Amino acid sequence: MAHEDCIFCKIIDGELPSAKVYEDEAVYAFLDISQVTKGHTLVIPKTHTKNIYETPPEVASKLFERIPTIANAIKKAYQPAGMNLLNNNEKLADQSVFHLHIHLLPRYGEDDGFSFNWQVHTDDYSQDDLQQIAKEINEAF
Ligand code: 5GP
Ligand code: ZN
């Protein structure tokens, strides 16, 4: 169901324009206006869901089922050297539109406009530390 004041719901409904890449009964894919790299695409469920936390399994399942096909179409069109998939959840994690979306970012080179900046802390965690963290998450299911 469309969510009031959600720009992605309005895009699905055609109330706002978009450059559509793909559509079926469950999923809509369109170009991100920011075009971080050429062909940068957003894949969204037609069912409004705020982000990954609120997404029912059947909505997630249909969304992710379509992604390999869409990724392969982008790959065929532009032959990128690689592709990153990205999903931001909540403001701190750079979510700015609160309708679940997966970014497909074709990669053309190291200076193509997209980069990771994450720090590796392998040396800070022992095998016991990792087991403890995994246990705590597992207990939260
Ligand atoms: P987020 O930061 O939430 O992960 O990503 C939201 C994305 O939506 C941004 O990359 C932004 O460029 C894109 N976006 C925001 N408004 C519009 C719009 O009206 N049309 C399109 N095509 N993309 C949008
Ligand atoms: Zn929405």
Side-chain angles (χ1 to χ4, degrees):
M1 207 195 347
H3 196 267
E4 213 181 320
D5 295 333
C6 171
I7 57 168
F8 286 179
C9 283
K10 289 194 168 77
I11 282 174
I12 293 166
D13 290 344
E15 286 174 46
L16 287 176
S18 69
K20 182 169 76 175
V21 166
Y22 174 82
E23 180 178 16
D24 62 30
E25 77 288 355
V27 162
Y28 194 92
F30 58 108
L31 294 184
D32 189 308
I33 38 165
S34 69
Q35 287 298 285
V36 170
T37 61
K38 186 177 181 182
H40 176 188
T41 296
L42 300 174
V43 187
I44 64 178
K46 284 192 170 174
T47 303
H48 178 90
T49 171
K50 182 185 167 195
N51 57 32
I52 202 73
Y53 299 122
E54 296 187 2
T55 302
E58 60 276 13
V59 173
S61 155
K62 284 180 180 154
L63 180 69
F64 281 89
E65 188 185 276
R66 272 62 162 183
I67 286 177
T69 308
I70 300 166
N72 275 297
I74 297 167
K75 182 170 180 253
K76 192 174 163 192
Y78 291 123
Q79 293 95 42
M83 187 176 296
N84 290 109
L85 265 60
L86 184 68
N87 162 238
N88 301 327
N89 300 284
E90 304 294 3
K91 208 170 173 182
L92 182 86
D94 284 332
Q95 183 174 12
S96 61
V97 177
F98 292 87
H99 178 129
L100 176 68
H101 51 280
I102 311 297
H103 294 261
L104 271 55
L105 289 143
R107 300 299 308 280
Y108 302 99
E110 283 177 16
D111 299 322
D112 59 5
F114 180 79
S115 68
F116 281 118
N117 181 16
W118 65 21
Q119 297 165 11
V120 175
H121 295 118
T122 316
D123 295 341
D124 299 339
Y125 290 86
S126 69
Q127 195 48 238
D128 280 351
D129 293 332
L130 297 181
Q131 293 298 335
Q132 180 60 28
I133 294 168
K135 183 168 170 281
E136 286 167 12
I137 297 171
N138 184 256
E139 285 169 359
F141 271 69

